[in-house]
Amino acid sequence: MSCVGLGQQWLVPTIVNSMEPFQEMSYSRMVERILKLAIPNHLLWLVFFYWFFHSFLNVTGELLLFGDRQFYRDWWNAGSMERFWSTWNIPVHKFAKRHIYMPIVESGYSRATASIVVFLLSAFFHEFLVSVPLCMFRAWAFVGMVFQIPISLFCSHVLHGGNWGNVIMWLSLILGQPIAALMYVHDYLILNGMLNTTGPATQ
């Protein structure tokens, strides 16, 4: 409930006030609204991560006498997007590695090909989880995740991980989510005829 209250207080007013700049294609105001949304959005994401991966899953594991409690590793130190995706959600990572990645490699394909297939499937399901509740398909989540492939290659092969790779990883998380959120809300309001195009948004 606290996350819902924080979302109503921090996120909803900024998202609503961001629709007019998107309609007018005012790039400077769009950037300002994205930056204004980035911090509260990321704080709520961190709260959700702690609640689900650290609290809820550990309590569930305790109740079910589940011995393997490694639900995440130190993703905050990741020097590339590839490292982030392999450490922030260990159950899904292990499932994908066992049931998708390894069978592809054992079939004679390269590890790079297997990694791309796993990542594209992950991007598809991220898009699926957004598109189904909204009853629309826009592919912003899919495109955002696919865009992380060249970012990961840049961090790994040019920056060789390290501090700058970690900075880029954090920036992609902090800025990528609010951009996608604004795009989905904008398209949803247009699709359902709910976007007010006659009057100014509340500042």
Side-chain angles (χ1 to χ4, degrees):
M1 293 300 293
S2 62
C3 286
V4 174
L6 292 174
Q8 290 285 340
Q9 179 69 28
W10 285 351
L11 301 183
V12 174
T14 302
I15 291 175
V16 171
N17 292 339
S18 300
M19 293 303 101
E20 183 183 3
F22 270 75
Q23 283 291 99
E24 298 176 353
M25 296 302 291
S26 175
Y27 295 108
S28 60
R29 294 176 64 199
M30 288 166 60
V31 170
E32 182 265 332
R33 297 303 163 90
I34 290 171
L35 294 176
K36 186 176 181 180
L37 182 62
I39 299 303
N41 175 83
H42 193 66
L43 287 176
L44 287 179
W45 184 83
L46 291 174
V47 169
F48 170 79
F49 173 85
Y50 183 87
W51 169 79
F52 184 76
F53 285 93
H54 190 76
S55 301
F56 175 77
L57 291 182
N58 273 294
V59 170
T60 303
E62 184 71 26
L63 294 175
L64 299 178
L65 303 179
F66 188 69
D68 187 358
R69 304 291 179 82
Q70 190 180 52
F71 301 115
Y72 62 91
R73 289 199 290 268
D74 59 336
W75 57 264
W76 47 88
N77 292 326
S80 69
M81 296 308 303
E82 181 181 4
R83 176 67 178 170
F84 165 79
W85 286 112
S86 65
T87 54
W88 94 280
N89 190 339
I90 297 299
V92 171
H93 172 69
K94 288 184 176 180
F95 177 88
K97 184 176 182 179
R98 180 183 299 124
H99 298 288
I100 304 174
Y101 178 86
M102 292 308 299
I104 293 175
V105 172
E106 292 170 355
S107 297
Y109 293 94
S110 67
R111 293 182 178 273
T113 300
S115 297
I116 292 175
V117 170
V118 170
F119 199 81
L120 291 177
L121 283 174
S122 176
F124 168 79
F125 281 110
H126 276 78
E127 180 62 43
F128 180 81
L129 291 174
V130 177
S131 296
V132 170
L134 295 179
C135 298
M136 69 176 192
F137 177 74
R138 287 298 184 271
W140 296 119
F142 183 87
V143 171
M145 287 195 63
V146 169
F147 187 69
Q148 291 183 9
I149 295 178
I151 294 178
S152 180
L153 293 174
F154 177 78
C155 291
S156 299
H157 299 289
V158 178
L159 299 177
H160 304 290
N163 292 336
W164 283 111
N166 183 252
V167 168
I168 292 178
M169 183 275 292
W170 275 106
L171 287 177
S172 69
L173 291 178
I174 294 173
L175 297 178
Q177 292 178 7
I179 292 174
L182 290 177
M183 297 303 295
Y184 278 112
V185 171
H186 178 264
D187 290 354
Y188 180 83
L189 293 179
I190 289 181
L191 186 65
N192 291 275
M194 300 164 60
L195 190 62
N196 180 17
T197 59
T198 59
T202 303
Q203 299 297 321

